[in-house]
Amino acid sequence: MIVRTLADCEQSNRKIVTETWDSTRMLLKDDKMGFSFHITTIFANTETHIHYQNHLESVYCISGNGEIETVADGKIYKIEAGTLYILDKHDEHLLRGGSEDMKMACVFNPPLNGKEVHDDSGVYPLEAETVV
């Protein structure tokens, strides 16, 4: 059995911080569960270009507000507490924080190693340095 608290993970190298988001990676590839689980905060009034070419992701909004825009067709979807969005086709998108930070629960398949950040194309590499 694996037991971790968000507070403990936030105080470790499992927390990654960028200009537009931070992500606490609570479950990673080394845990051998076949997926990874993260609690991510999208900062208010920011925009992040994302295009997961190597991963599928499901995201549940716990709190806050914002929107997601699919690049292919320009559709914009409102995000608020209780919203789930699923990137089932490696959808290139723009994720925007709204008037307050969005707290999100995220699941990735295949699982992340832990150090991933978006490259210039919005992609997480398939392999990255493993968090110890």
Side-chain angles (χ1 to χ4, degrees):
M1 178 180 291
I2 300 168
V3 177
R4 295 187 178 112
T5 68
L6 178 59
D8 286 346
C9 291
E10 287 176 331
Q11 299 303 313
S12 75
N13 61 353
R14 289 178 172 270
K15 184 171 183 176
I16 306 298
V17 180
T18 75
E19 290 183 20
T20 60
W21 56 267
D22 68 40
S23 181
T24 304
R25 282 87 189 266
M26 297 188 71
L27 184 70
L28 293 167
K29 183 177 182 178
D30 283 352
D31 294 313
K32 300 183 185 340
M33 291 294 296
F35 61 91
S36 58
F37 178 81
H38 315 214
I39 300 296
T40 299
T41 301
I42 306 301
F43 302 139
N45 303 306
T46 63
E47 179 178 275
T48 305
H49 173 239
I50 303 173
H51 190 191
Y52 295 129
Q53 297 173 5
N54 302 311
H55 299 87
L56 299 174
E57 182 190 27
S58 295
V59 181
Y60 178 79
C61 182
I62 299 167
S63 64
N65 62 70
E67 65 183 26
I68 185 169
E69 178 179 349
T70 49
V71 172
D73 59 14
K75 288 186 181 176
I76 297 174
Y77 303 88
K78 181 179 173 181
I79 301 172
E80 60 188 9
T83 302
L84 174 72
Y85 68 86
I86 300 107
L87 301 167
D88 62 335
K89 294 179 177 59
H90 304 282
D91 312 88
E92 183 176 8
H93 59 285
L94 301 171
L95 184 57
R96 299 184 184 107
S99 61
E100 57 189 21
D101 291 351
M102 283 191 293
K103 184 75 71 174
M104 317 289 265
C106 310
V107 177
F108 281 87
N109 181 15
L112 299 187
N113 289 303
K115 292 290 188 181
E116 291 87 349
V117 293
H118 304 108
D119 68 15
D120 292 339
S121 300
V123 176
Y124 276 165
L126 191 53
E127 294 294 325
E129 179 184 346
T130 300
V131 170
V132 183

